[in-house]
Amino acid sequence: MKKYLFLLILIPVFALGQTLKEVGLKDRMGSDFLIGAAVNLGQVTGQEAGADSLLSLHFSSITSENGLKWGPVHPKEGEYRFEYGDAYVAMGEKMGAFVVGHTLVWHQQTPAWVFQNANGQPLNQGDLIARMEDHISTVVGRYKGKIDGWDVVNEAFEDDGSWRKTPWYNITGTEFVKAAFRKAQETDPEAELYYNDYNVWIPEKRKAILEMAKNLRADGIRIDGIGMQGHYRLGSPSLDQIEQAILDIHEAGFQVHVTELDVDVLPRPRNTEGADLNINYAESPEWNPYVASIPPAVEKQLVDRYVALFQLFQKHSDKISRVTFWGLHDGKSWLNNWPVRGRTNYPLIFDREMKLKSGFLEALEKNKPNCLPVILFSFFSPQK
Ligand code: GLA
């Protein structure tokens, strides 16, 4: 009996050690997968107080939220703006994080000039591909060895699995996808390359994406992973639908990335077109119900949803490489402005005060073996 007495001393000492050291989300997830956040200009340039310490403590990966999209980084022909990108990769290096570049080829946030010649007429296929390749080699080349993975092509499919009829597709057919991956690979052979899209849980859409990805490989073009944007709601999609997507992507031989994770807690008006209408919606308590604060019962639904999602992700941690939140905290989420401008939304796991929402880690930890020190930690330490 006596020989076990030392445990009575060691366990509290270990637990105390844990309480003194702040443990981040990334450490709590252990080696399951990388934990990421999309970051904006204020955060990468140190203008937002507290953002960099929050990022360093909790996140092992970052994604460029807007600053490396075509519009911000290459607004005019021959004009590149790298202020964001340079600060972004410097922050990633300081954090020792896995740095993701988002995104090289997309139909949104891409200026109209990209698709036009000097006379304002649509470019032909060869000229558009050449312009795209030039963009990719310039941006990927600048951050070669500093950006670890690129969302090469974003959102090329409709939900029914048909190709989205974007200017990229209308001018080049499916060639732009092949050329984009080829050029990214050629420019930085070490960087991982992904295709990224939303609603990957819809079977028809997923089938089309996986077919495209397998065809790339059949043509000898590298593609490492599929990013499933996790723009979810409280009740949909179902865990089964998400799980099937994880299984299918893995089965097809690609890394699974859960990108752009957030959970919208606000009601959604059906007809959201028109800026004026949106302003009215935002002013109406019906569509902007939690201006002062989120009711505890709704926050609990949100935390329960996150717990269920992360339990699913942990179950499949052998297939999932990274889980990235779309934003650092509620105050900076795009969902404060979409699909209605000017609302107060609560879709992330960190609130407006940059505090982790309570109950999330405790619920996850309960299901883990050897959780005593962390449970003690949860009791004793104020959450950050
Ligand atoms: C898409 C894009 C992201 C971002 C979000 C919403 O999912 O991939 O870059 O624009 O929409 O903010």
Side-chain angles (χ1 to χ4, degrees), residues 45-283:
T45 51
Q47 284 159 29
E48 188 179 331
D52 54 352
S53 52
L54 193 74
L55 280 160
S56 301
L57 177 60
H58 291 286
F59 294 94
S60 47
S61 175
I62 50 176
T63 295
S64 52
E65 185 173 6
N66 285 300
L68 289 178
K69 291 171 177 173
W70 194 308
V73 84
H74 189 180
K76 294 190 186 137
E77 190 164 11
E79 182 184 322
Y80 285 90
R81 297 193 182 156
F82 290 121
E83 297 83 350
Y84 172 90
D86 292 357
Y88 172 68
V89 296
M91 165 176 261
E93 199 173 331
K94 200 170 125 205
M95 287 171 64
F98 186 92
V99 179
V100 179
H102 173 86
T103 172
L104 296 169
V105 180
W106 191 26
H107 59 287
Q108 307 268 32
Q109 292 178 261
T110 302
W113 68 262
V114 174
F115 306 104
Q116 295 166 357
N117 64 21
N119 305 319
Q121 299 303 309
L123 281 186
N124 64 38
Q125 169 168 338
D127 288 347
L128 181 57
I129 296 277
R131 181 169 281 172
M132 182 191 79
E133 288 178 336
D134 192 50
H135 173 85
I136 292 175
S137 62
T138 305
V139 179
V140 175
R142 184 172 181 99
Y143 300 117
K144 185 175 175 176
K146 295 182 174 162
I147 287 192
D148 302 298
W150 278 99
D151 288 337
V152 179
V153 175
N154 203 34
E155 302 177 356
F157 290 95
E158 301 283 1
D159 286 353
D160 65 4
S162 60
W163 285 86
R164 193 185 285 279
K165 305 301 178 294
T166 65
W168 295 111
Y169 180 84
N170 293 338
I171 296 175
T172 78
T174 61
E175 267 316 295
F176 74 98
V177 177
K178 287 187 202 162
F181 275 88
R182 228 186 245 125
K183 186 48 91 178
Q185 178 183 359
E186 179 191 307
T187 310
D188 187 354
E190 301 296 319
E192 292 190 347
L193 307 177
Y194 319 121
Y195 174 82
N196 187 53
D197 212 328
Y198 61 84
N199 291 353
V200 179
W201 54 270
I202 296 177
E204 297 77 28
K205 186 167 193 173
R206 180 166 70 248
K207 189 163 169 271
I209 292 169
L210 291 177
E211 220 166 270
M212 172 277 295
K214 285 184 198 163
N215 285 339
L216 284 182
R217 280 196 177 160
D219 286 344
I221 300 168
R222 213 184 77 227
I223 167 168
D224 300 288
I226 306 294
M228 314 197 297
Q229 296 179 17
H231 296 301
Y232 299 144
R233 305 191 65 195
L234 283 174
S236 82
S238 71
L239 293 177
D240 286 349
Q241 287 169 316
I242 300 172
E243 182 165 38
Q244 196 56 54
I246 296 169
L247 292 171
D248 287 357
I249 296 170
H250 177 72
E251 167 75 23
F254 301 97
Q255 298 172 10
V256 180
H257 293 249
V258 179
T259 63
E260 310 194 19
L261 181 61
D262 46 30
V263 176
D264 191 354
V265 299
L266 295 185
R268 256 183 214 181
R270 275 183 187 278
N271 302 315
T272 51
E273 304 87 355
D276 291 347
L277 271 184
N278 285 348
I279 288 164
N280 290 338
Y281 278 125
E283 284 165 359

Side-chain angles (χ1 to χ4, degrees), residues 24-35:
L25 264 188
K26 61 179 164 63
D27 307 306
R28 308 277 189 120
M29 297 300 159
S31 55
D32 286 349
F33 32 69
L34 295 165
I35 287 281

